[in-house]
């Protein structure tokens, strides 16, 4: 096998907020900045000076005779592609470009601008939330030039971009061989010190897995938000009190936080509930109830996840119902008009309970949220599995779970432990990745089903808004059921559409048309 070149220099685009540039520099890599705005690049350099002043630069040389350098000494800014690419020239290493851009045509423009300067063996790492089909189209465009294009999902937000994110690269094996040593240096580490980055798979798999990661994230966030509102409006608990509950949830049970283990969203939920501004107000109390990222075009992954679930015929209601409420929330003006038209809303009424009953309700609520979290993972992995089979990406599911161990929004160690135990035992061939077929998953969901059912029942009585919790309950019911109301539905289809049906006892069990028709009414 040819020697794997060592990456010593990278080009970073500012759209990562500058955090990734500082992260690479901190690990001894020379970073060339490029951005249409010089002000943006100057801001990165100023932040480097601040980090040096605060002792955050580690002073490592890059192994190229540089010795000890400050962060600011490893960063340079370049206003055009000619100067930028000259700064990356090295006789023993490829040019490496890393960018995170708005999804869509912006990435095409950047690739087109760079193409005249690219040589065989150069690499582009697209760390955007890009659509996987755009990634594969660009890979195909550059392959004739001998240039590698890696679609890499990056999770953890702007804070993680600075201290070490979870990263999910997908592309040609040779390209991944080249970049993984660098990425392992800068990636988040789990509680055992293992890097949360790995070989996801071929083609656009890296961006696809990150897309579904975000769909899972939306389902989890909605379930937790629903629980927060039940505690606030249903049980009449104050923000600090709810923060204490979240803290307790993250200290024991399925969402515990011990030895860096835990659930990231539960962890930050505690802080969100307790955080006050300089006026002494709870910051959460002044936050409006609208999420607009799906509407304003800054976030496409939630839309794509739901589209993919439908296209691939994968029931994923925990994810998709979370997306629907996000969409409704964005149109606050319309909601106010509808409320006026209706002469009011359907107010969330109090959950009357004694202290003892409230303690049990909180335990049921914890279990319900965990059940929805696990449901979101199961549904998301089903989407990935179907796409993997269709595209022949050879996704390493054990590597994906390791990538999600830390540094990402859906970090949930108990769930990761369960999934890891399943995928590390499987081979990449015809493994059964329908997680509902695995006894350990069935046991977890079945044990928490009664609590989920109780919370949904109480919520229906009191008008609590619970899209993801209720969707998770219904999904479990119809996924395990063999006497669905679709029996009647099938008869309707045959009545007016002559769509045919299976006769009980003769069914194949497969999603194929039946062989029977009944003439319900003469034509």
């Amino acid at each position: 096998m040819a020697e794997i070149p060592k990456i010593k220099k990278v080009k970073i685009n500012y759209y990562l907020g500058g955090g990734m540039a500082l992260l690479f520099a901190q690990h001894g890599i020379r970073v060339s900045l490029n951005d249409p705005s010089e002000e943006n690049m100057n801001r990165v350099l100023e932040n480097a000076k601040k980090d040096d002043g605060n002792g955050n630069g580690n002073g490592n040389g890059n192994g190229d005779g540089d010795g000890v350098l400050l962060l600011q000494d490893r960063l340079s800014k370049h206003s055009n592609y000619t100067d930028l690419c000259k700064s990356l020239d090295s006789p023993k290493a490829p040019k490496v470009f890393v960018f995170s851009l708005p999804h869509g045509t912006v990435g095409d423009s950047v690739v087109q601008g760079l193409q005249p300067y690219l040589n065989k063996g150069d690499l582009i790492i697209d760390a955007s939330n890009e659509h996987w089909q755009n990634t594969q189209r660009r890979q195909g465009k550059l392959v004739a030039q001998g240039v590698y294009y890696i679609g890499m999902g990056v999770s953890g937000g702007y804070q993680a971009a600075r201290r070490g994110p979870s990263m999910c690269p997908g592309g040609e094996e040779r390209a991944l061989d080249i970049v993984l040593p660098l990425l392992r240096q800068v990636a988040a580490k789990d509680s055992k010190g293992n890097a949360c980055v790995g070989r996801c798979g071929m083609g656009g798999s890296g961006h696809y897995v990150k897309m579904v990661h975000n769909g899972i994230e939306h389902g989890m966030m909605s379930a937790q938000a629903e629980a927060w509102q039940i505690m606030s409006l249903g049980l009449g608990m104050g923000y600090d009190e709810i923060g204490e509950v979240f803290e307790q949830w993250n200290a024991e049970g399925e969402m515990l936080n011990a030895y860096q283990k835990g659930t990231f969203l539960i962890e930050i939920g505690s802080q969100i509930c307790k955080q006050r501004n300089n006026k002494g107000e709870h910051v959460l109390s002044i936050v409006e109830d609208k999420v607009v990222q799906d509407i304003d075009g800054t976030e496409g992954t939630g839309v794509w996840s739901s589209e993919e679930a439908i296209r691939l015929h994968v029931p994923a209601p925990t994810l998709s119902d979370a997306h629907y409420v996000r969409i409704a929330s964005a149109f606050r003006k319309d909601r106010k008009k509808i409320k006026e038209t209706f002469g009011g809303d359907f107010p969330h009424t109090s959950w009357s309970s004694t202290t003892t009953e409230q303690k049990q309700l909180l335990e049921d609520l914890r279990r319900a949220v965990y059940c929805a979290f696990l449901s979101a993972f199961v549904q998301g992995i089903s989407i990935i599995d179907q796409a993997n089979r269709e595209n022949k990406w050879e996704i390493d599911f054990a590597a994906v779970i390791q990538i999600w161990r830390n540094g990402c929004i859906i970090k949930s160690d108990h769930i990761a432990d369960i999934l890891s135990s399943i995928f590390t035992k499987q081979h990449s061939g015809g493994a059964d990745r329908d997680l509902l077929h695995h006894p350990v998953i069935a046991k977890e969901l079945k044990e928490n089903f009664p609590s989920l059912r109780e919370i949904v029942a109480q919520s229906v009585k009191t008008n609590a808004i619970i899209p993801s919790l209720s969707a998770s309950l219904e999904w479990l019911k119809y996924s395990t059921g063999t006497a669905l109301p679709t029996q009647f539905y099938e008869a309707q289809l045959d009545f007016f559409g002559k769509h045919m049906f299976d006769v009980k006892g003769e069914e194949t069990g497969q999603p194929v048309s039946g062989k029977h028709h009944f003439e319900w009414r003469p034509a």
Side-chain angles (χ1 to χ4, degrees):
M1 182 176 180
E3 181 183 355
I4 298 174
K6 183 177 180 181
I7 297 172
K8 299 176 181 178
K9 301 178 182 179
V10 300
K11 175 263 183 183
I12 296 283
N13 186 281
Y14 178 76
Y15 286 101
L16 284 161
M20 190 74 87
L22 298 176
L23 179 65
F24 278 118
Q26 187 171 350
H27 284 81
I29 302 297
R30 286 187 172 274
V31 177
S32 300
L33 301 171
N34 173 253
D35 190 88
S37 168
E38 187 167 353
E39 181 183 352
N40 286 344
M41 293 189 286
N42 288 338
R43 190 176 298 119
V44 177
L45 296 174
E46 286 299 318
N47 287 336
K49 290 180 182 179
K50 290 178 184 177
D51 275 14
D52 286 330
N54 293 330
N56 292 330
N58 65 10
N60 286 340
N62 66 3
D64 196 28
D66 284 338
V68 177
L69 292 176
L70 296 172
L71 291 185
Q72 58 191 294
D73 297 326
R74 297 198 192 99
L75 298 167
S76 60
K77 62 179 183 178
H78 305 271
S79 58
N80 59 69
Y81 288 156
T82 301
D83 290 342
L84 171 70
C85 292
K86 283 182 180 178
S87 74
L88 295 175
D89 279 338
S90 174
K92 296 183 179 179
K95 294 190 289 294
V96 180
F97 301 85
V98 183
F99 58 69
S100 181
L101 305 166
H103 61 83
T105 57
V106 178
D108 292 324
S109 299
V110 171
V111 170
Q112 185 176 357
L114 288 173
Q115 264 195 291
Y117 305 94
L118 298 176
N119 299 315
K120 183 178 181 180
D122 288 345
L123 297 105
I124 295 176
I125 303 176
D126 182 350
S128 318
N129 274 333
E130 184 56 273
H131 194 282
W132 62 279
Q133 289 179 323
N134 288 337
T135 304
Q136 296 201 150
R137 176 170 49 77
R138 293 171 194 158
Q139 288 171 336
K141 182 179 181 180
L142 292 169
V143 68
Q145 201 171 344
V147 174
Y148 298 116
Y149 192 96
I150 294 172
M152 185 174 75
V154 177
S155 181
Y158 70 92
Q159 296 104 331
R162 176 63 186 92
R163 64 175 179 264
S166 163
M167 295 182 285
C168 187
E172 288 190 47
E173 185 174 353
R174 172 65 176 170
L176 297 179
D177 284 339
I178 295 170
V179 301
L180 276 171
L182 169 65
L183 298 180
R184 289 189 183 108
Q185 287 185 59
V186 302
K189 306 298 188 293
D190 67 12
S191 59
K192 297 179 181 178
N194 298 314
C196 295
V197 64
R199 200 182 301 272
C200 177
M202 300 169 64
S205 61
H207 277 149
Y208 196 97
V209 169
K210 176 53 167 48
M211 172 193 76
V212 176
H213 163 288
N214 286 14
I216 295 170
E217 172 187 312
H218 295 174
M220 294 173 71
M221 291 175 70
S222 183
Q224 185 181 1
E226 293 159 31
W228 164 77
Q229 192 168 67
I230 286 171
M231 286 187 274
S232 177
L233 300 183
L235 299 178
M237 297 168 62
Y239 288 173
D240 290 331
E241 194 177 2
I242 298 172
E244 291 294 330
V245 169
F246 283 146
E247 190 171 328
Q248 183 180 354
W249 286 4
N250 220 32
E252 59 188 30
E254 294 85 353
M255 296 182 285
L256 64 86
N257 182 21
Y259 306 107
Q260 297 183 358
K261 288 177 175 282
T263 303
F264 174 77
L265 287 170
I266 300 296
E267 175 193 339
I268 67 168
S270 176
Q271 182 179 349
I272 289 170
C273 288
K274 295 179 180 181
Q275 190 75 49
R276 295 176 183 266
N277 59 21
N278 55 14
K279 296 180 182 179
E281 304 169 311
H282 284 97
V283 178
L284 181 57
S285 70
I286 63 172
V287 175
E288 194 57 275
D289 68 339
K290 64 190 184 84
V291 176
V292 302
Q293 285 77 14
D294 304 297
I295 310 301
D296 66 9
T298 56
E299 174 59 83
T301 52
V303 177
W304 305 334
S305 294
S306 293
E307 288 176 344
E308 282 295 287
I310 294 169
R311 185 183 72 83
L312 295 169
H313 314 297
V314 176
T318 307
L319 283 57
S320 56
D321 279 27
H323 186 67
Y324 292 144
V325 77
R326 281 165 61 106
I327 294 172
S329 78
F331 296 97
R332 181 172 172 80
K333 183 178 179 180
D334 287 347
R335 287 187 283 124
K336 291 173 71 174
K337 178 65 176 178
I338 293 168
K339 181 178 178 179
E340 180 183 325
T341 303
F342 273 60
D345 59 2
F346 302 99
H348 190 156
T349 57
S350 175
W351 293 30
S352 56
S353 61
T354 65
T355 302
T356 303
E357 289 170 337
Q358 179 164 317
K359 185 177 180 180
Q360 182 58 50
L361 282 171
L362 288 174
E363 173 60 10
D364 283 337
L365 189 57
R366 183 189 70 81
R367 287 179 170 273
V369 170
Y370 167 67
C371 196
F373 280 11
L374 182 55
S375 298
F377 271 89
V378 173
Q379 294 165 24
I381 287 172
S382 292
I383 298 171
I384 295 171
D385 180 42
Q386 290 301 315
N388 181 50
R389 294 173 188 273
E390 178 184 76
N391 292 281
K392 298 179 174 57
W393 284 326
E394 299 180 7
I395 289 176
D396 184 337
F397 283 81
V400 169
I401 302 307
Q402 175 58 34
I403 290 166
W404 292 348
R405 279 282 186 182
N406 198 16
C408 70
I409 307 303
I410 66 172
K411 172 186 182 290
S412 184
D413 276 283
H414 180 74
I415 293 175
D417 286 343
I418 295 171
L419 298 180
S420 181
S421 71
I422 293 172
F423 290 128
T424 53
K425 296 176 183 176
Q426 294 185 348
H427 299 289
S428 60
D432 185 354
R433 299 194 190 94
D434 187 331
L435 293 173
L436 292 179
H437 294 170
H438 290 271
V440 64
I441 296 292
K443 179 176 179 291
E444 292 282 312
L445 292 171
K446 188 174 180 179
E447 285 180 350
N448 291 285
F449 180 87
S451 291
L452 178 60
R453 182 183 57 206
E454 178 63 26
I455 293 301
V456 171
Q458 290 283 351
S459 297
V460 170
K461 292 177 184 177
T462 57
N463 295 327
I465 298 170
I466 52 164
S468 285
L469 291 175
S470 60
S472 300
L473 179 73
E474 293 303 317
W475 172 72
L476 284 170
K477 286 159 59 180
Y478 59 67
S479 293
T480 59
T482 55
L484 303 183
T486 44
Q487 176 181 348
F488 186 82
Y489 197 147
E490 180 80 330
Q492 290 175 307
L493 290 168
D494 187 61
F495 187 109
F496 63 75
K498 199 178 181 180
H499 287 287
M500 316 294 282
F501 57 87
D502 283 326
V503 171
K504 289 186 176 183
E506 297 179 1
E507 61 177 316
T508 64
Q510 298 302 315
V512 294
S513 295
K515 299 178 181 179
H516 301 272
H517 167 67
F518 184 81
E519 196 67 18
W520 304 86
R521 177 189 295 172

